[in-house]
Amino acid sequence: MLHIENLSKYYGTFRALNNVNLHINKGELFGFVGSNGAGKTTTMKICVGLLRADSGRIVIDGYEVRKNTKLLKQKVGYVPDFFGAYDNLTSIEYLNFFANAYGIYGKEADKLSEDLLALVNLSDKRNHEVDGLSRGMKQRLCLARALVHNPDLLVLDEPASGLDPKARYELKEILKSLSSMGKTIVISSHILPELAEMCSSFGIIDRGVMKMTGTLRDIQQAANFSSMPIVIVVRGDSEPAVQALRELPATKYVRPMAEGRIEVDYLGGIDDEVELLKILVNKGIPVVSYGRMEGTLENVFLQLMNGGQPQNGPAPGPVQAAPPMQAPMQAAPQPAPMQPAPMHAPMQAAPQAPAGQEVAR
Amino acid sequence: MKLPAIKDFKLNAVLFKDLRQKTKRSQLSVSVFLLNLFLSLIAIIILLSVSFSAASYSPLDNTVFTVFFIVLGFMEFGFILLTVPAVTSGAITMEREKQTFDVLLTTSLTTRQIIWGKYWASLAQVILLIISGFPVFALVFMYGGVTFFQAFGVLLTLLLLTMYISAIGLFFSAKMKKTIVATVLTYVILLVLMFGTISMLLTAGGIIEVINSIVLDNTGVDPDLKIDFLGFILYVNPLCTIYDCMAGLFNFDSFIFGSDATMAGILSDVTHFSSNNILLTLWTPISIVVQMLIAWGALERASVVIDPLRKKADKYARKRKRNKQAA
Ligand SMILES: Nc1ncnc2c1ncn2[C@@H]1O[C@H](COP(=O)(O)OP(=O)(O)OP(=O)(O)O)[C@@H](O)[C@H]1O
Ligand SMILES: [Mg+2]
């Protein structure tokens, strides 16, 4: 449905997009994720014909954007990241105007406008001035507006920003139902987890470069998880296992937990993991289960943003959210705890690093 | 260049939307009120003074009403000069400033339809204003002194000049990002069109005089150079158009000037053209045609300018190449 090939865009000498490639199938709900200034808006604007790319091409439904702008305007609906509302127009007049703009007039336009207002739950605001609607209502009205000409492809630039959780949920429901009607939807966001349960595939863009595309599973697998702890569960006393693990040079830190569960920060790839298991088994340790902890989306995203490498030490896993908070408390009564304080300090820094970079950029 | 199709000029969505918005704004009714208050005050002053002079048994002279009409006509022209740029130069920039323009561009409206819709909507607003002043003009008919043909001629010319000025304002609105910049530029260009052209001709005339006298001193022959074709630059000058229109219709020379007071009379004095030259005698219609063509061109250009996909000269391309090579 949407096919982007080697797309590049410069603003002056600044390269906002660098050979972006993307393919989105018909009916997909595609999540387009990237931090501030990554190039999401730029890509989307080029797709809807609001910006001229410097090189590369975009094909929508078999038509190249540059050559078929007029035709594609009928096929594409766009909700920009920032948009204003006309003063002195009511919601219904607003939708009517856009129906007219797409060549739909009279009764047909009236009916369509009413239906769309109902779809986005704004029927009670039909005679309210658009200018006086709340942000979330404007957002919904704008979505309704983008649907006026029944487009096959919807391009939504951060539609959820500024919405409260309830409005977000409602938006998600609307998008899901639109998707089930067979529309292809591209939706951008800063936050991967926000899109996770809704989107069927994702693209992650960073500083103008498409870092990765695929399903959630693809992305999780491709991300570098050697930084996630290995979780081992042993039967009976876990002390021998802990001892054995601590002796290994690749082991950074071992956390014995309750009921035979041990978490190990262990450097190395998949081969090293296999090696580790062999060692444990050879030592006669009764291993019940063994495996890397799965990364949360947040971790995946941050890793990709950092160029695929964790910045300082291991990235924080979900369970580690607690230890960093305990670390300072432990530090006072126990001057030399086993290892935690020095180990956790850099781990805390990791998630904040990208934010710091954004400010610097 | 592809010629515009009929549908570009048909009543379109933008026109309806803009009219709907404009009629709901208080701005419009306030300006109608102020204009007519002003015009009526002038009318009352003139009529009162006429009544007083009539009361003193002097014969009631139609000329007073003719002058009254001429003054009102010029005042209306001044009013157009002041208000039209303010209305049209915001037509596109205000959509940009309110961040509604991008969305408009993604609809299936063509850029031409957007521009013409904006144009007719702005014109409708201004013309409504102008027409609202007509009853005051009509006062004159009660006393005679102005024929229907004269009044119609003046009002039609004012209308066409409005279309000219509107197009210039809309062009800058399409070209600039900020309303304030577009408005200022429109006023500046209007000043240049009206007084810049005249100053330019005066300067050129002065230089030509100097050349004439130098050549005469050195060779003993008077080259008799004049501004000639340069004078036609005044075709773009709306002030000259309304002046020529009034001077022709009301025969200015009979009561203001000694000789032919139309543009033909004035230009035949400073050029080699005779005052019977058709390019001069038909000054008003020809200049209006010229101005309408300029208006057309400005609007065509405006619809190109707002197209986000148009090719632009990329002044950074070379610099990028250099950076790449350096890297
Ligand atoms: N009109 C412009 N002129 C110059 N640079 C621009 C312009 N628009 C965007 N950029 C730059 O291009 C880069 C990509 O911007 P873009 O708006 O596409 O990012 P984004 O992913 O949408 O970010 P955000 O999440 O903040 O909306 C940024 O570094 C930005 O500074
Ligand atoms: Mg953006």
Side-chain angles (χ1 to χ4, degrees):
Chain A
M1 183 73 195
L2 174 64
H3 183 77
I4 300 178
E5 222 174 88
N6 292 326
L7 197 67
S8 288
K9 170 75 192 172
Y10 289 90
Y11 291 110
T13 54
F14 175 76
R15 190 170 199 170
L17 293 181
N18 188 353
N19 281 324
V20 168
N21 286 290
L22 188 61
H23 185 85
I24 301 175
N25 290 322
K26 200 168 174 60
E28 240 173 319
L29 221 169
F30 181 84
F32 195 28
V33 192
S35 45
N36 287 126
K40 303 180 295 293
T41 302
T42 305
T43 311
M44 290 178 141
K45 278 192 169 177
I46 295 174
C47 289
V48 299
L50 282 178
L51 263 184
R52 217 186 135 85
D54 290 298
S55 63
R57 59 185 209 129
I58 297 181
V59 181
I60 296 176
D61 210 10
Y63 300 93
E64 196 171 334
V65 167
R66 220 179 255 189
K67 292 172 194 153
N68 303 283
T69 332
K70 219 177 153 195
L71 184 110
L72 288 175
K73 282 177 171 177
Q74 291 284 357
K75 288 183 176 282
V76 182
Y78 172 56
V79 175
D81 46 356
F82 298 106
F83 55 88
Y86 290 114
D87 53 342
N88 289 310
L89 281 190
T90 63
S91 309
I92 194 79
E93 287 171 340
Y94 178 83
L95 287 181
N96 240 312
F97 160 57
F98 280 100
N100 296 348
Y102 283 102
I104 306 162
Y105 293 95
K107 286 240 164 61
E108 201 185 337
D110 294 339
K111 166 127 189 2
L112 182 66
S113 306
E114 300 285 0
D115 288 352
L116 286 172
L117 275 184
L119 177 77
V120 295
N121 261 327
L122 281 176
S123 292
D124 53 330
K125 299 281 178 207
R126 81 184 284 286
N127 294 324
H128 269 62
E129 296 232 329
V130 179
D131 231 6
L133 295 180
S134 78
R135 160 117 203 203
M137 292 174 187
K138 276 185 198 162
Q139 208 100 25
R140 275 185 280 162
L141 187 66
C142 200
L143 179 63
R145 189 229 78 226
L147 291 169
V148 151
H149 54 304
N150 195 17
D152 298 327
L153 174 66
L154 265 179
V155 179
L156 316 175
D157 200 350
E158 287 175 38
S161 70
L163 298 191
D164 64 25
K166 183 166 168 282
R168 258 165 220 250
Y169 174 78
E170 284 170 2
L171 180 75
K172 259 182 211 172
E173 292 305 306
I174 294 173
L175 291 183
K176 275 188 208 160
S177 71
L178 286 172
S179 173
S180 68
M181 284 158 64
K183 296 199 187 302
T184 312
I185 303 176
V186 181
I187 173 169
S188 80
S189 174
H190 300 121
I191 310 159
L192 184 57
E194 186 183 278
L195 300 178
E197 48 144 329
M198 168 170 63
C199 295
S200 52
S201 65
F202 298 84
I204 295 180
I205 188 171
D206 183 37
R207 277 164 277 175
V209 179
M210 207 68 191
K211 283 276 157 120
M212 167 161 292
T213 54
T215 62
L216 200 54
R217 189 89 213 126
D218 294 339
I219 290 178
Q220 280 175 327
Q221 278 175 353
N224 176 7
F225 280 121
S226 68
S227 57
M228 298 305 295
I230 294 176
V231 181
I232 305 165
V233 182
V234 295
R235 186 163 43 96
D237 184 16
S238 66
E239 198 45 40
V242 172
Q243 283 304 329
L245 285 166
R246 286 209 173 124
E247 280 161 15
L248 297 171
T251 304
K252 279 288 181 192
Y253 180 53
V254 182
R255 280 181 298 277
M257 322 278 282
E259 295 181 24
R261 186 180 158 105
I262 308 165
E263 285 179 21
V264 192
D265 293 335
Y266 189 79
L267 299 183
I270 189 97
D271 292 338
D272 303 298
E273 274 175 53
V274 175
E275 250 347 275
L276 177 63
L277 181 60
K278 268 189 200 157
I279 293 169
L280 292 176
V281 174
N282 286 345
K283 289 199 170 178
I285 293 165
V287 177
V288 175
S289 95
Y290 178 90
R292 284 266 185 211
M293 189 184 283
E294 276 207 1
T296 62
L297 287 170
E298 206 73 50
N299 288 324
V300 175
F301 184 62
L302 291 175
Q303 269 191 12
L304 287 168
M305 294 295 110
N306 293 335
Q309 288 300 317
Q311 284 222 315
N312 304 306
V319 190
Q320 281 149 310
M325 280 163 59
Q326 292 165 359
M329 300 194 307
Q330 286 175 350
Q334 293 172 297
M338 295 188 289
Q339 278 160 315
M343 276 311 301
H344 283 301
M347 282 160 34
Q348 251 180 316
Q352 278 147 21
Q357 279 175 354
E358 271 166 29
V359 175
R361 244 185 274 145
Chain B
M1 193 171 80
K2 216 177 74 192
L3 276 177
I6 302 289
K7 68 169 173 13
D8 294 332
F9 309 105
K10 225 173 48 177
L11 298 186
N12 70 34
V14 176
L15 172 60
F16 281 129
K17 185 219 79 180
D18 274 24
L19 287 181
R20 181 163 270 151
Q21 282 182 281
K22 282 176 197 295
T23 47
K24 282 195 202 170
R25 289 192 186 119
S26 54
Q27 195 187 330
L28 186 63
S29 35
V30 168
S31 48
V32 166
F33 173 73
L34 286 180
L35 170 71
N36 286 290
L37 186 72
F38 185 64
L39 286 179
S40 314
L41 275 179
I42 302 284
I44 287 168
I45 289 170
I46 294 181
L47 288 179
L48 277 182
S49 64
V50 169
S51 316
F52 280 126
S53 56
S56 60
Y57 299 107
S58 63
L60 190 54
D61 186 358
N62 270 348
T63 317
V64 176
F65 295 104
T66 315
V67 174
F68 168 50
F69 190 86
I70 292 168
V71 169
L72 275 187
F74 276 114
M75 273 177 28
E76 184 103 13
F77 177 67
F79 178 77
I80 289 169
L81 282 178
L82 282 181
T83 50
V84 172
V87 171
T88 57
S89 63
I92 307 276
T93 46
M94 257 143 76
E95 293 245 2
R96 286 210 184 96
E97 282 162 5
K98 283 212 93 184
Q99 294 181 310
T100 50
F101 197 56
D102 269 3
V103 164
L104 206 54
L105 285 173
T106 61
T107 65
S108 57
L109 292 169
T110 63
T111 55
R112 211 179 246 137
Q113 284 172 324
I114 294 175
I115 289 290
W116 284 95
K118 287 275 166 198
Y119 184 60
W120 290 120
S122 310
L123 265 187
Q125 179 182 355
V126 182
I127 288 173
L128 181 77
L129 255 183
I130 296 171
I131 290 179
S132 78
F134 283 6
V136 181
F137 280 76
L139 273 179
V140 195
F141 287 122
M142 297 195 321
Y143 295 92
V146 177
T147 66
F148 174 76
F149 176 72
Q150 286 171 323
F152 181 75
V154 171
L155 294 176
L156 182 66
T157 306
L158 284 175
L159 209 80
L160 291 167
L161 289 178
T162 304
M163 294 178 74
Y164 176 45
I165 298 168
S166 296
I168 295 173
L170 195 57
F171 170 76
F172 283 112
S173 195
K175 184 99 184 154
M176 298 296 143
K177 285 208 174 72
K178 293 256 174 282
T179 304
I180 179 78
V181 180
T183 311
V184 169
L185 267 176
T186 310
Y187 282 123
V188 169
I189 286 294
L190 281 179
L191 286 179
V192 169
L193 285 177
M194 293 193 303
F195 303 109
T197 49
I198 292 175
S199 329
M200 201 203 83
L201 280 186
L202 291 177
T203 314
I207 293 171
I208 286 170
E209 276 305 307
V210 173
I211 294 173
N212 277 343
S213 66
I214 291 175
V215 175
L216 182 63
D217 287 350
N218 291 333
T219 64
V221 188
D222 184 358
D224 191 27
L225 294 174
K226 286 186 172 177
I227 57 169
D228 287 347
F229 281 104
L230 275 183
F232 290 123
I233 200 166
L234 293 180
Y235 275 150
V236 303
N237 188 328
L239 189 61
C240 289
T241 307
I242 188 69
Y243 170 79
D244 186 69
C245 164
M246 299 263 210
L249 286 174
F250 296 108
N251 224 356
F252 276 13
D253 24 321
S254 65
F255 61 93
I256 302 182
F257 298 91
S259 60
D260 186 357
T262 60
M263 287 302 290
I266 295 170
L267 279 180
S268 64
D269 285 348
V270 293
T271 62
H272 287 109
F273 300 113
S274 97
S275 62
N276 292 327
N277 190 313
I278 198 153
L279 290 176
L280 297 186
T281 51
L282 291 181
W283 188 271
T284 302
I286 293 178
S287 70
I288 283 179
V289 168
V290 169
Q291 289 167 18
M292 289 302 104
L293 285 177
I294 294 176
W296 180 289
L299 293 178
E300 276 301 298
R301 186 68 204 149
S303 43
V304 172
V305 163
I306 60 167
D307 182 359
L309 295 183
R310 82 178 199 279
K311 279 206 180 76
K312 271 186 263 183
D314 189 351
K315 52 188 169 188
Y316 293 100
R318 205 185 295 160
K319 198 169 172 192
R320 285 201 300 261
K321 211 174 223 172
R322 220 183 306 133
N323 288 355
K324 210 184 242 174
Q325 277 164 359

